[in-house]
Amino acid sequence: MAYHKVHADQRAQGHSLYMDNDDLQATALDLEWDMEKELEEPGFDHFRLDGAAQHPPGNSQSPDLDLEPIQPSMSPKGRFQRLQEDPDYISRYMRQPPKSNRRNFCQMFKVLCTVLIVFILGILIGYYGHKKCPPSTTSPESNNPHVFQEILKEIKAENIQQTYRDLLQFPREDDTDVAMKILTRWTSHGLEDVQLANYSVLLDLPGSSSNTVTLANSGECFYPSGQQCKRETKELHSQDLLYSYAAYSAKGTLEAELVDVQYGTVEDLVRIQAITDVTKKIALLKLGQSPLLYKLSLLEDAGFGGVLLYVDPCDLPRTAALPDQAFMVSLNGGGDPSTPGYPSSDGIYRQNRSNLTTLLVQPVSAALVKKLISLSEDSISKDRCIPLELPATDKKIISLNIQSVATYKTISNVIGYLKGTVFPDRYVVIGSHHNGLNNYGGQEWASSTAVITALIEAVMLKAKRGWRPDRTMVFCSWGGTSFGNIGSYEWGEDLQRVLQRNVVAYISLHNPVQGNSTLQPIASPSLQQLAAESQSFNCMEKTRCPGSNVSSVQIQGDSDYFINHLGVPAMQFSYEDVQTSENSSFLREALFPVHPTKAEELDPSFRLHETIAKLTGQVTLRIATEPVLPFNALDIALEVQNNLKGNFYDHVDTQQLLAVASRLRDTAELFQSDEMRPANDPKERAPLRVRMLNDVLQSLEKSFVVRQAPPGLYRNILYRLDERRSQFSVLLEALEHCKLHQSNETVQAALSEVLNSINSAQVYFKAGLGVFETALAGKK
């Protein structure tokens, strides 16, 4: 069996035709082959070791047809040698048709005999000629790197730009109307099986007038943007004002004292609660540092009644020219709130859950915050940014009025399939999103849709010429993303059983160009090497795209359901601006009204969009076509050990965790190298054994999805909160929680969850080894 090693330094590029040619496979299985003897023979120059990380895929295989019938290639960390049969191998045994003997008969029989002999010779020549011809096989092109380059070459910046501009011509229409236009475009590119998945879901939309913040002492009324209520409506861009709100917040009016809680961390709350009673007061909260839903849960538990949410200008990248605007956030953890855990299908029971928190939450601009804290222009330094803070001696009483309306709307997902030929029941899902309800993040959804459309066009150009992937590629454009990834959740819940069994990876195109400074790849541990290798193939000149910055951190968007409920390996490439503050993480939870030309300002030539499309295409094609899934088991074990390092756990007994993590690493090393070896026996390339291996690789990360996690934190514990913190997020939160409640019960529960996950993964790897060892013993 061939076992494929995913490594950033070296990768074998050849692939077996084990599923393509039964006769050739049978011939290869009969070959007597000894590795060491082959290496010593003069003909060893036929073998070639390809370093995928050093060479573009288009140049990674030689077209030389004089290769030996078996070609091994080595990969690092002692993993398996891959066997490759020669597609041009045919038997050189040539049988000669029997010769007819001339006989001397009477002249009257000559003509009849000649006709008879010619007839018989024709039959014999046809029979033996048919035996000499090799049987027809499936095209070997599906996993050829040269084919990848041909596909990716069709992705052009000017085409993405044109699609982007066409998308922005869509008027503000219902979600279904926008989805239909995307479906029509995808169908025009040749995608054969494209369909809409419609769901009627509960959305929390703005009311007929904007929410307001009023100073109780002076009676001054402000809109969330900071503009006074008395101004003319025509100056206020009313649509933007209406969408400056928190979806699924509590509704009503609350007059109370404003309390500055900064980022709402546990330390902030301990400090505030030591000096004042926070019951039913309004928290002045900065976005960033940790997930919004987690911070709101802490404020709710502490007894607050409302929250003014804003982004501190000091946390924004210096390149961000963000005006003083309010923004939208969603307080929905995922899916239709009225049907938690099950799809919004016809006839299904619906709960009344328009409010997902007891807090009245209102996003406001930094300009309004400066007015509330009475910050004078003289105190603003032009040399450096001073974080906003309400003076401890300044007591502000404000009145917060929030009026939004819960209503059912139809949201639509566009789902298109390109069926695989070898493993059609295994899905590689590529997801973007569209937005037909408001203009918040408008350029981002257009960028997302333009990139996935360019990828579809390039793939289908090759498919029209007969190419097909081994695994089915599923292209998705999700609706309702800005309200809590509703479209992807409902589709996932609708097809949960199928997706749990069939999906092998999720590739995200959520907001591909958020800045123009740095390429930021995010991948689950098993896909980090694949992400790094793909960067080395596709880096553009004068573009920063190092191969060492791949990380596993929480990401925004519709990958959430696949990561946290299905345990599917996921990956995302995006361009971002350089962050200037350690508090900048999770600022993307805010959706600002964006000018339609913002994407063209960030990427005038659309070269960054092209790079994202090609990187996404590269990893998608490899996962969809390589016989053995390019996942790395050992990297999962290494990630687990790294998450247990450091002095953060000094006051917690982690000896048992460390012991189980060590066993996991040992088992993963065996799984990835010696025990699963050895590829010296071509019989191990049997399709059944390849399928067994892929089934094990497909479920590597499912063990790490815990039953519960605090709001806003991933259930998949392999993902960290951000780049700065390497600990398991559930343990980090539990230890912080202990400071508030002076109890280690939460810590013990979190330790048990993590311990069970690591032990479950170790047992899973060990069981996988046992299956293959049993299969080998049976053959012997």
Side-chain angles (χ1 to χ4, degrees):
M1 179 175 240
Y3 306 101
H4 186 70
K5 166 74 176 145
V6 183
H7 196 277
D9 298 327
Q10 191 175 17
R11 175 179 293 274
Q13 296 293 331
H15 299 287
S16 169
L17 300 182
Y18 62 91
M19 294 293 287
D20 297 337
N21 192 330
D22 292 336
D23 287 0
L24 295 184
Q25 183 183 7
T27 303
L29 293 177
D30 293 333
L31 292 175
E32 294 290 332
W33 193 80
D34 181 86
M35 173 64 81
E36 295 184 1
K37 182 177 178 181
E38 286 286 338
L39 294 177
E40 294 172 358
E41 290 181 357
F44 177 68
D45 58 344
H46 286 291
F47 296 99
R48 184 168 60 87
L49 306 181
D50 291 330
Q54 285 79 27
H55 302 286
N59 301 324
S60 61
Q61 284 190 336
S62 170
D64 185 9
L65 300 180
D66 294 327
L67 294 174
E68 292 294 328
I70 301 176
Q71 180 187 30
S73 60
M74 302 283 293
S75 60
K77 294 187 181 178
R79 202 184 169 188
F80 338 109
Q81 300 155 330
R82 170 165 284 179
L83 300 180
Q84 176 176 332
E85 292 107 6
D86 181 0
D88 295 320
Y89 175 80
I90 59 172
S91 173
R92 291 177 172 79
Y93 175 57
M94 307 287 289
R95 293 186 57 184
Q96 298 297 326
K99 299 179 181 179
S100 64
N101 297 322
R102 307 187 71 181
R103 301 178 181 180
N104 293 322
F105 294 96
C106 297
Q107 187 68 29
M108 58 183 301
F109 296 106
K110 284 184 178 181
V111 176
L112 180 61
C113 290
T114 301
V115 172
L116 182 61
I117 291 170
V118 170
F119 178 75
I120 294 173
L121 284 174
I123 293 176
L124 292 174
I125 290 172
Y127 174 75
Y128 287 110
H130 177 73
K131 288 189 71 174
K132 295 171 191 174
C133 295
S136 61
T137 64
T138 304
S139 172
E141 283 194 337
S142 65
N143 50 42
N144 188 332
H146 295 288
V147 174
F148 297 174
Q149 292 293 20
E150 291 177 9
I151 293 174
L152 299 180
K153 189 168 60 177
E154 297 297 333
I155 297 176
K156 298 180 175 63
E158 54 269 25
N159 293 342
I160 299 176
Q161 184 178 37
Q162 185 58 53
T163 301
Y164 172 84
R165 290 175 175 174
D166 292 344
L167 292 171
L168 290 183
Q169 300 305 312
F170 292 176
R172 285 179 177 170
E173 299 176 353
D174 287 341
D175 193 84
T176 302
D177 294 331
V178 176
M180 276 300 302
K181 292 182 178 180
I182 295 172
L183 182 147
T184 301
R185 183 174 288 269
W186 288 8
T187 304
S188 69
H189 291 314
L191 199 57
E192 300 162 359
D193 186 5
V194 191
Q195 52 197 250
L196 288 185
N198 298 326
Y199 300 95
S200 178
V201 300
L202 184 65
L203 300 182
D204 192 31
L205 299 175
S208 57
S209 60
S210 175
N211 298 335
T212 58
V213 177
T214 305
L215 290 174
N217 295 337
S218 63
E220 288 183 280
C221 174
F222 297 96
Y223 291 119
S225 62
Q227 294 171 303
Q228 292 188 350
C229 301
K230 63 182 180 181
R231 293 200 174 184
E232 303 251 350
T233 305
K234 63 182 180 180
E235 299 178 13
L236 298 179
H237 308 288
S238 58
Q239 183 69 19
D240 288 346
L241 283 174
L242 290 178
Y243 276 94
S244 299
Y245 79 114
Y248 307 104
S249 163
K251 286 81 173 172
T253 301
L254 174 65
E255 182 173 315
E257 181 184 350
L258 188 65
V259 178
D260 189 355
V261 297
Q262 289 295 297
Y263 294 96
T265 64
V266 169
E267 288 81 3
D268 290 330
L269 292 180
V270 170
R271 173 178 52 83
I272 293 298
Q273 287 180 309
I275 60 176
T276 185
D277 180 13
V278 300
T279 304
K280 295 301 179 182
K281 293 185 178 179
I282 299 174
L284 182 61
L285 176 68
K286 295 181 182 181
L287 195 66
Q289 274 202 17
S290 57
L292 174 61
L293 293 184
Y294 173 63
K295 296 195 291 187
L296 292 181
S297 69
L298 294 179
L299 295 176
E300 190 172 12
D301 289 343
F304 279 94
V307 176
L308 283 188
L309 180 67
Y310 72 102
V311 175
D312 194 310
C314 297
D315 293 334
L316 293 170
R318 292 187 178 91
T319 54
L322 190 66
D324 283 329
Q325 291 179 313
F327 50 91
M328 173 190 173
V329 295
S330 175
L331 309 185
N332 180 14
D336 179 5
S338 69
T339 58
Y342 49 94
S344 298
S345 306
D346 291 339
I348 207 75
Y349 171 72
R350 297 178 184 272
Q351 303 178 23
N352 183 15
R353 300 183 68 205
S354 59
N355 301 345
L356 297 181
T357 177
T358 61
L359 297 171
L360 278 74
V361 182
Q362 176 59 53
V364 297
S365 68
L368 177 55
V369 173
K370 291 175 183 177
K371 294 178 181 179
L372 295 177
I373 66 176
S374 303
L375 183 67
S376 64
E377 291 296 327
D378 296 337
S379 62
I380 300 177
S381 173
K382 296 182 180 180
D383 298 330
R384 65 186 184 90
C385 186
I386 300 177
L388 300 180
E389 184 177 2
L390 179 66
T393 57
D394 194 357
K395 187 175 181 179
K396 295 282 185 180
I397 306 294
I398 66 170
S399 177
L400 181 60
N401 180 264
I402 295 178
Q403 302 296 333
S404 55
V405 179
T407 183
Y408 283 94
K409 291 275 189 179
T410 298
I411 62 99
S412 301
N413 302 321
V414 187
I415 313 293
Y417 298 86
L418 176 59
K419 293 295 179 65
T421 56
V422 182
F423 307 112
D425 62 334
R426 292 296 180 258
Y427 302 158
V428 183
V429 182
I430 309 97
S432 64
H433 71 281
H434 58 266
N435 188 357
L437 296 171
N438 60 66
N439 271 355
Y440 274 52
Q443 110 286 350
E444 294 175 334
W445 81 259
S447 292
S448 176
T449 305
V451 169
I452 196 173
T453 302
L455 179 57
I456 290 172
E457 181 179 11
V459 168
M460 294 311 301
L461 283 174
K462 191 66 176 177
K464 290 174 184 177
R465 298 193 288 268
W467 175 87
R468 281 293 188 275
D470 288 354
R471 299 175 182 87
T472 297
M473 299 170 68
V474 185
F475 299 96
C476 307
S477 181
W478 308 114
T481 298
S482 59
F483 289 90
N485 306 319
I486 292 180
S488 55
Y489 260 76
E490 295 310 303
W491 187 75
E493 291 168 349
D494 202 6
L495 281 73
Q496 183 177 14
R497 299 292 185 185
V498 175
L499 300 178
Q500 282 178 333
R501 184 181 67 249
N502 292 359
V503 176
V504 299
Y506 183 86
I507 313 300
S508 173
L509 280 168
H510 182 79
N511 299 349
V513 179
Q514 304 169 21
N516 54 15
S517 301
T518 306
L519 178 64
Q520 181 64 45
I522 298 175
S524 56
S526 60
L527 290 178
Q528 286 186 8
Q529 289 192 24
L530 178 60
E533 291 171 2
S534 298
Q535 287 183 85
S536 68
F537 289 140
N538 292 280
C539 273
M540 295 171 54
E541 293 182 4
K542 300 181 180 179
T543 300
R544 294 181 57 193
C545 41
S548 60
N549 65 336
V550 186
S551 60
S552 299
V553 297
Q554 293 192 191
I555 54 179
Q556 301 296 312
D558 294 282
S559 58
D560 183 276
Y561 184 82
F562 296 87
I563 293 172
N564 291 307
H565 294 269
L566 302 180
V568 171
M571 184 184 299
Q572 171 182 290
F573 294 98
S574 63
Y575 273 96
E576 298 182 1
D577 285 319
V578 177
Q579 296 178 346
T580 59
S581 169
E582 64 179 12
N583 304 317
S584 299
S585 57
F586 297 100
L587 292 186
R588 293 293 172 184
E589 294 180 315
L591 296 177
F592 285 90
V594 181
H595 193 272
T597 62
K598 181 66 180 296
E600 299 200 57
E601 294 171 4
L602 290 172
D603 184 21
S605 64
F606 272 71
R607 294 298 176 187
L608 302 182
H609 287 77
E610 179 184 310
T611 299
I612 296 298
K614 289 185 175 181
L615 284 168
T616 302
Q618 177 78 19
V619 298
T620 300
L621 290 170
R622 288 187 60 182
I623 297 173
T625 60
E626 292 198 2
V628 177
L629 288 169
F631 298 168
N632 195 313
L634 182 57
D635 280 355
I636 294 178
L638 294 175
E639 185 81 4
V640 168
Q641 286 193 318
N642 288 336
N643 287 349
L644 292 174
K645 289 180 179 178
N647 57 10
F648 185 80
Y649 302 112
D650 283 350
H651 55 293
V652 177
D653 184 10
T654 58
Q655 291 304 310
Q656 193 173 8
L657 280 175
L658 292 170
V660 176
S662 179
R663 291 199 297 271
L664 173 62
R665 177 173 178 171
D666 292 341
T667 308
E669 286 179 336
L670 288 175
F671 180 87
Q672 192 158 295
S673 56
D674 297 339
E675 292 297 332
M676 293 199 49
R677 66 161 181 97
N680 284 352
D681 182 1
K683 294 180 181 179
E684 293 192 62
R685 293 279 330 208
L688 178 60
R689 289 184 58 80
V690 171
R691 182 59 181 250
M692 289 164 57
L693 174 58
N694 284 333
D695 286 346
V696 173
L697 292 172
Q698 179 181 333
S699 300
L700 291 179
E701 299 189 13
K702 287 182 169 58
S703 298
F704 297 96
V705 178
V706 299
R707 291 171 298 174
Q708 294 184 18
L713 272 65
Y714 270 14
R715 289 178 56 204
N716 188 327
I717 63 174
L718 291 174
Y719 289 78
R720 296 176 280 112
L721 278 175
D722 53 42
E723 299 281 0
R724 298 178 293 113
R725 289 170 280 194
S726 62
Q727 296 83 14
F728 287 111
S729 57
V730 291
L731 284 181
L732 181 69
E733 187 277 334
L735 291 168
E736 293 290 299
H737 192 269
C738 183
K739 299 176 183 177
L740 275 178
H741 300 278
Q742 301 299 314
S743 170
N744 66 350
E745 183 177 343
T746 305
V747 175
Q748 293 303 319
L751 284 170
S752 297
E753 287 273 23
V754 174
L755 177 63
N756 180 65
S757 295
I758 300 173
N759 187 65
S760 176
Q762 195 271 336
V763 171
Y764 179 78
F765 283 127
K766 191 173 182 180
L769 287 171
V771 168
F772 284 95
E773 289 171 357
T774 302
L776 283 172
K779 287 196 171 188
K780 291 180 182 178

